[in-house]
């Protein structure tokens, strides 16, 4: 059964796209079939997965054209995105393109304008995907595109940087979520949790004051805060620019000297630090999923 999870936060640059891609890649590597949908007019997700913003069809067609076949806007992530990881056909994308900028206005003129996305998703075969992950931009929560995303989601994940402005970003979205639940537009909607990103400090048990503040804030609001957090690591933008998954291991060959003195070449693989952080988060995410299903 598919589960729809979105990243929404009224604050730019908090790691929404990076987290969504890491979650999609990590779930795919663990054998899940994933569809990612880009609903950010900045088109970052579409660009980073391999310039899908240049494709002919996009989420704009899906949401605005009456008899559009959603499958015509679904593209497969190419295998060279996963170098040295043998998975094929596990992630598909519905990209954004430059038309997405006009989506808010286009939707405003339509009937049942808040339900366009969920109705489109319902046209997919239930067995096609295990997870549908939706990326959004840092825009106003009253925006119709964001409302469509919240209405379509089973759960909302909140990737937050450790700064006061991130709490503000969360504060701004909570009343909107409550309103959508109360109005019966999506009564079962849940907040999945807050994931702290770009944390400066060590891998476990950071002493960062701001992290402790976020802990207190999450407890007060009764929102789950992930125990695992993502550190601020230099390699992240580079991997993204190279259009490759953060989980691609580094593969290198090294001479190994045997006891008898002969030298042979051995192949080694290492995981990047960012992959370690996101793997721990995804394991925690999946443990919680299992508990929910039990
Ligand atoms: N853990 C990290 N360590 C270092 N840099 C990071 C990390 N996570 C994200 N970044 C970088 O920070 C920038 C913002 O990240 P990202 O694009 O994921 O944020 P966003 O919330 O999607 O932004 P927007 O609101 O504009 O969509 C990017 O340049 C990204 O490469
Ligand atoms: Mg983004």
């Amino acid at each position: 059964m598919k589960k729809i999870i979105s990243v929404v936060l009224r604050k730019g640059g908090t790691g929404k796209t990076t987290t969504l891609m890491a979650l999609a890649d990590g779930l795919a590597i663990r054998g899940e079939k994933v569809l990612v949908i880009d609903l950010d007019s900045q088109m970052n997700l579409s660009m980073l997965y391999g310039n899908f913003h240049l494709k002919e069809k996009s989420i704009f067609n899906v949401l605005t054209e009456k008899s559009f076949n959603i499958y015509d806007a679904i593209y497969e992530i190419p295998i060279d995105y996963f170098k040295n990881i043998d998975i094929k056909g596990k992630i598909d994308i519905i990209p954004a393109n430059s038309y997405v900028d006009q989506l808010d206005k286009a939707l405003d003129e339509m009937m049942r304008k808040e339900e366009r996305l969920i109705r489109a998703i319902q046209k997919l075969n239930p067995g096609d995907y295990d997870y549908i992950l939706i990326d959004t931009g840092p825009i106003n929560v009253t925006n119709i595109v964001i409302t469509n995303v919240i209405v379509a989601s089973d759960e909302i994940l909140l990737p937050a940087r450790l700064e006061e402005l991130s709490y503000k970003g969360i504060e701004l979205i909570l009343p909107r979520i409550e309103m959508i639940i109360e109005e019966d537009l999506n009564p079962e909607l849940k907040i999945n949790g807050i994931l702290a990103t770009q944390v400066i400090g060590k891998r476990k048990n950071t002493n960062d004051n701001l992290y402790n503040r976020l802990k207190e804030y999450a407890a007060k609001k009764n929102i789950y805060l992930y125990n695992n957090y993502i550190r601020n690591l230099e390699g992240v933008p580079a991997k993204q620019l190279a259009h490759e998954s953060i989980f691609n291991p580094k593969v290198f060959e090294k001479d190994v000297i045997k006891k008898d003195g002969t030298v042979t070449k051995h192949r080694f693989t290492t995981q990047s630090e960012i992959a370690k952080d996101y793997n721990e988060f995804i394991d925690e995410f999946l443990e919680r999923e299992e508990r929910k299903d039990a």
Side-chain angles (χ1 to χ4, degrees), residues 2 69 72 76 87 165 172 178 182 205-206 219 270 278 294:
K2 64 187 175 226
N69 179 353
D72 289 342
E76 192 178 311
I87 57 167
L165 289 173
L172 286 167
E178 272 160 31
E182 275 166 20
N205 305 320
T206 179
T270 55
Y278 270 115

Side-chain angles (χ1 to χ4, degrees), residues 53-200:
H53 62 297
L54 302 174
K55 296 279 183 197
E56 196 191 334
K57 303 294 180 195
S58 77
I59 192 67
F60 186 86
N61 305 89
V62 174
L63 297 183
T64 60
E65 287 175 26
K66 210 170 162 222
S67 47
F68 186 79
N69 179 353
I70 185 168
Y71 287 99
D72 289 342
I74 295 181
Y75 301 92
E76 192 178 311
I77 301 295
I79 37 170
D80 56 358
Y81 174 80
F82 286 109
K83 294 181 181 72
N84 307 313
I85 303 176
D86 189 17
I87 57 167
K88 186 177 158 23
K90 282 288 184 189
I91 307 185
D92 289 340
I93 181 170
I94 300 182
N97 61 17
S98 53
Y99 290 113
V100 168
D101 232 359
Q102 299 155 34
L103 202 45
D104 207 46
K105 193 166 172 291
L107 289 174
D108 199 28
E109 288 158 12
M110 304 189 90
M111 300 293 283
R112 308 188 77 152
K113 56 185 174 188
E114 294 101 348
E115 295 166 55
R116 306 288 305 179
L117 180 58
I118 187 64
R119 287 166 154 257
I121 289 173
Q122 280 162 351
K123 288 188 190 144
L124 291 168
N125 269 322
D128 283 354
Y129 298 102
D130 300 304
Y131 286 92
I132 297 177
L133 305 180
I134 308 170
D135 192 25
T136 65
I139 39 175
N140 199 326
V141 287
T142 56
N143 171 287
I144 300 165
V145 173
I146 299 288
T147 306
N148 261 274
V149 172
I150 303 176
V151 168
S153 301
D154 295 308
E155 296 184 7
I156 292 176
L157 177 65
L158 302 163
R161 281 177 68 142
L162 296 183
E163 55 193 18
E164 296 295 325
L165 289 173
S166 273
Y167 310 153
K168 285 256 160 53
I170 298 171
E171 282 292 323
L172 286 167
I173 185 134
L174 297 180
R176 188 69 178 170
I177 291 175
E178 272 160 31
M179 197 187 287
I180 285 169
I181 294 172
E182 275 166 20
E183 288 294 329
D184 245 7
L185 276 164
N186 184 4
E188 300 298 323
L189 176 66
K190 304 261 180 315
I191 295 182
N192 175 283
I194 299 174
L195 173 69
T197 66
Q198 302 169 51
V199 177
I200 295 173

Side-chain angles (χ1 to χ4, degrees), residues 7 9-20 40 42 44 48 135-139 159 161 197-199 230-238 240-241 274 277-278:
V7 289
L9 204 78
R10 175 84 175 89
K11 166 90 183 76
T14 65
K16 291 185 290 300
T17 303
T18 304
T19 297
L20 195 98
D40 179 2
Q42 299 176 102
N44 289 346
L48 295 173
D135 192 25
T136 65
I139 39 175
R161 281 177 68 142
T197 66
Q198 302 169 51
V199 177
I230 312 300
R231 286 167 296 164
N232 190 66
L233 294 162
E234 274 176 21
V236 180
Q240 290 176 332
L241 283 175
I274 192 72
D277 285 12
Y278 270 115

